Amino acid sequence: MGATKEGLRKFKLKTMKKTILLFVLPIISFCQYTTIPDQGFAEALQYYLGVELYETDGQFQVLNSDINGIESINIQASSWNISDLSGIEAFTSLETLTITNQSSLTSLDVSQNVFLDYLYCSDNNLTELNVSGNVFLEVLVT
């Protein structure tokens, strides 16, 4: 009986997330581009997720319409040398984030990723982690 209640609870949460997204996405998509200042993060998004990068004045940008539906990001290779995840807040559908082995990463703010339910951010040099506002967060590994 407990397993059924847990499954129903998760189904309701997923349904609620998707309903909220229907109202939030059109508003957020109005701003066409998001700047990704860290070259390693930008290139990892392109490599792992096929996100097209646009370079303007030495900074990388991604189309919001390309990233709005992304629910999972998994970056584990240290070769990306990511030090800044600015721009992560624009991934409005993000539910799962795995970011490991980034020795230059000292700060992570996922407070704007309201649908995040799984965050695995170990083997970094984090001194600051902001998960405020992540009401769906069930798993946090640091």
Side-chain angles (χ1 to χ4, degrees):
M1 188 72 162
T4 303
K5 284 185 180 180
E6 180 65 20
L8 182 59
R9 185 186 74 79
K10 285 186 178 188
F11 174 76
K12 286 181 179 178
L13 282 174
K14 280 254 191 223
T15 303
M16 186 171 71
K17 286 180 186 180
K18 300 218 186 274
T19 302
I20 293 170
L21 240 131
L22 286 173
F23 295 103
V24 173
L25 277 181
I27 295 167
I28 294 173
S29 295
F30 183 71
C31 178
Q32 288 188 326
Y33 292 92
T34 294
T35 299
I36 309 292
D38 187 286
Q39 182 175 353
F41 182 38
E43 290 175 352
L45 292 173
Q46 183 179 43
Y47 181 80
Y48 289 117
L49 301 171
V51 174
E52 190 166 346
L53 300 177
Y54 301 89
E55 191 173 352
T56 306
D57 298 327
Q59 290 214 326
F60 291 100
Q61 295 183 323
V62 294
L63 275 172
N64 287 347
S65 58
D66 287 348
I67 62 173
N68 283 339
I70 293 175
E71 295 179 351
S72 180
I73 297 175
N74 184 344
I75 302 171
Q76 298 185 46
S78 61
S79 59
W80 297 111
N81 198 29
I82 296 169
S83 62
D84 184 2
L85 282 185
S86 294
I88 194 75
E89 66 278 357
F91 289 76
T92 55
S93 300
L94 192 63
E95 295 177 2
T96 301
L97 174 60
T98 301
I99 181 85
T100 62
N101 301 309
Q102 305 305 312
S103 61
S104 299
L105 187 63
T106 58
S107 178
L108 178 57
D109 183 351
V110 290
S111 61
Q112 304 272 328
N113 303 96
V114 296
F115 298 118
L116 194 66
D117 59 22
Y118 179 94
L119 175 58
Y120 191 100
C121 55
S122 70
D123 299 320
N124 300 306
N125 286 319
L126 290 178
T127 56
E128 234 179 280
L129 175 62
N130 186 350
V131 292
S132 63
N134 297 107
V135 296
F136 296 110
L137 192 62
E138 293 180 8
V139 177
L140 172 60
V141 179
T142 57

